[in-house]
Amino acid sequence: DADVTQTPRNRITKTGKRIMLECSQTKGHDRMYWYRQDPGLGLRLIYYSFDVKDINKGEISDGYSVSRQAQAKFSLSLESAIPNQTALYFCATSAPEGNIQETQYFGPGTRLLVL
Amino acid sequence: SQKIEQNSEALNIQEGKTATLTCNYTNYSPAYLQWYRQDPGRGPVFLLLIRENEKEKRKERLKVTFDTTLKQSLFHITASQPADSATYLCALDENSGYALNFGKGTSLLVTP
């Protein structure tokens, strides 16, 4: 079974709709991340969480919110989806040594299309 | 502003040759640098990490160098194979250590 799973894998929605993307991990990592990837723009950090009580905004958090329901679960919500949120979304986890960021483990991605 | 630059043009090489990809950065003082592989429609997969006090690191056919004076890392794949065709991303830590910043990646195509 995959260590980091994302649901749904594909989603088509309409402008103005609220949607939630979910991420679960079995790696036992404290740190979890949400990224979006667009052609030509690379991976950009939306939100990250160092533990259940710690949520932080990343580079492009506007229009998004997150919830860390448990150590293993981190959800990303689009409160009112707009077409320029069409992208490939990735969840990732990591377990740093001390204050050094180590390897990140990515989920398979959610492809979102906002019409 | 901070920048991570990878060659946006695809690299096409013949099977058996050595592929060399470049990652340049500005306004970073990274403690380490990482390389990831990404296949189309899939999540990045970690390949190698090199720390600021390491000049070179190897793993099977992969070799990474890290020159903090030039602010550059080179990623080499020796005896390349068509299965090595993918996009390769470099990533640097933020000085605070809270997250990674990724380059946009370089696409590698290895032809038989």
Side-chain angles (χ1 to χ4, degrees):
Chain A
D1 288 342
D3 294 320
V4 184
T5 57
Q6 293 183 233
T7 56
R9 293 295 313 279
N10 294 280
R11 178 76 182 267
I12 301 174
T13 192
K14 294 182 179 180
T15 296
K17 294 291 187 181
R18 182 182 188 276
I19 67 163
M20 180 182 290
L21 309 183
E22 299 185 342
C23 177
S24 294
Q25 53 114 345
T26 58
K27 300 189 74 68
H29 290 168
D30 286 328
R31 297 189 174 188
M32 298 186 73
Y33 309 82
W34 276 105
Y35 293 89
R36 66 176 279 176
Q37 188 172 40
D38 302 90
L41 294 179
L43 281 165
R44 292 183 291 167
L45 183 64
I46 305 172
Y47 271 95
Y48 62 101
S49 169
F50 282 179
D51 63 42
V52 175
K53 297 180 181 179
D54 179 77
I55 302 289
N56 302 280
K57 293 182 178 181
E59 177 187 357
I60 53 164
S61 59
D62 287 349
Y64 301 94
S65 63
V66 291
S67 173
R68 184 82 184 266
Q69 301 94 325
Q71 186 206 34
K73 296 185 182 296
F74 192 35
S75 299
L76 177 72
S77 293
L78 286 67
E79 298 300 326
S80 179
I82 56 177
N84 75 0
Q85 291 177 313
T86 292
L88 187 54
Y89 289 84
F90 289 105
C91 174
T93 74
S94 73
E97 295 179 5
N99 66 348
I100 297 177
Q101 192 60 243
E102 294 287 353
T103 301
Q104 291 199 4
Y105 297 86
F106 285 80
T110 294
R111 191 172 296 278
L112 176 65
L113 173 61
V114 183
L115 301 176
Chain B
S1 62
Q2 294 177 319
K3 287 185 180 179
I4 302 172
E5 295 181 343
Q6 296 185 255
N7 196 337
S8 59
E9 293 184 10
L11 177 62
N12 293 337
I13 65 167
Q14 198 171 18
E15 182 176 9
K17 302 291 187 182
T18 296
T20 299
L21 292 84
T22 304
C23 176
N24 295 298
Y25 59 92
T26 55
N27 295 323
Y28 280 96
S29 297
Y32 55 87
L33 183 147
Q34 302 184 32
W35 283 90
Y36 288 76
R37 169 185 172 139
Q38 186 175 23
D39 292 285
R42 306 189 72 169
V45 175
F46 171 77
L47 295 175
L48 280 169
L49 179 152
I50 185 166
R51 299 183 186 277
E52 60 178 337
N53 61 351
E54 298 175 316
K55 295 294 185 185
E56 180 180 299
K57 201 152 190 182
R58 294 174 182 263
K59 178 183 177 182
E60 298 174 350
R61 295 185 295 111
L62 308 181
K63 184 179 85 171
V64 172
T65 63
F66 193 13
D67 189 324
T68 55
T69 300
L70 291 178
K71 297 186 182 298
Q72 180 181 79
S73 175
L74 299 179
F75 177 81
H76 307 272
I77 305 176
T78 59
S80 60
Q81 305 167 359
D84 295 326
S85 299
T87 296
Y88 292 85
L89 311 173
C90 72
L92 303 178
D93 66 305
E94 283 286 340
N95 294 341
S96 62
Y98 76 87
L100 288 178
N101 286 333
F102 286 83
K104 296 177 183 179
T106 298
S107 176
L108 172 67
L109 178 63
V110 181
T111 53

